[in-house]
Amino acid sequence: MRKSALLTLFTASCALAAPVAEPARYWYNMYYIWLVVAVAIYLIVVIPAIYFAVKYRYRKGNETAQHVQENHLLEILWTIVPVLIVIYLATQSFAFYRVQRNAPEGAFEIKVTGFMWGWQFQYPNGKQVIAFFNMMEDPQTKEYLPLDKIPDTAKAYIPAGVPIKVLLTSQDVIHSFYVHPAKVMEDAVPGRITHLWFQINQPGEYWVFCREYCGTKHSKMAAVLKVVPKEEFEKWYGGPLPIQGKQVSFNIQ
């Protein structure tokens, strides 16, 4: 029983260490670092507080307390230790942010334009995919359709294991492009080009959502990324992957 529990814990740890998409691992790493630090600080504060509350609780006849004026060692410790923790969290967070923010060299660029209420994906060879909200919802129940009920023509094909750099803009209001498995999000702003990157390693179908309220159909403004092996992607794309790192033009509307 004990071995089984340890094996389950080990398996879960491995799963966390190898997310289905990048740069999600940095998001998870930062989350667990902050969680461990927060729990440790909580226990350091709460356990002594409970201990002293019980030990020095009110009793008749022991109301005289000892006055402690100063303790240089304690004052140095509770000043330096928090400063070191803050410096560590800040530098580690910035290091992870740089990785999450900057696309790897040679990433495959696509252009994504948000509009009320859908997404337009444009590829370097001119191929386009448009995902409109009514392609994603059941007309009767107004709920999201299962992935297998959404037509492939409304799905953006992505090669598995290849870093994708997305150049973002919007035709109308501010939207926010959120790639669920990769844990990355960036605003799509009218008149501006923003960017993010992701890499999905396992073939499958994954949701993209708008996470900036943009109107009555915001909740259904989604798209599906159809991640396929490189050979299948090139068959759909109509040719080999473009030279990685090739710049593509982007006209702001």
Side-chain angles (χ1 to χ4, degrees), residues 34 57 114 145 151 207:
W34 279 76
R57 66 186 183 280
L145 286 168
W207 286 104

Side-chain angles (χ1 to χ4, degrees), residues 34-44:
W34 279 76
L35 180 64
V36 168
V37 171
V39 170
I41 292 174
Y42 176 80
L43 294 176
I44 290 172

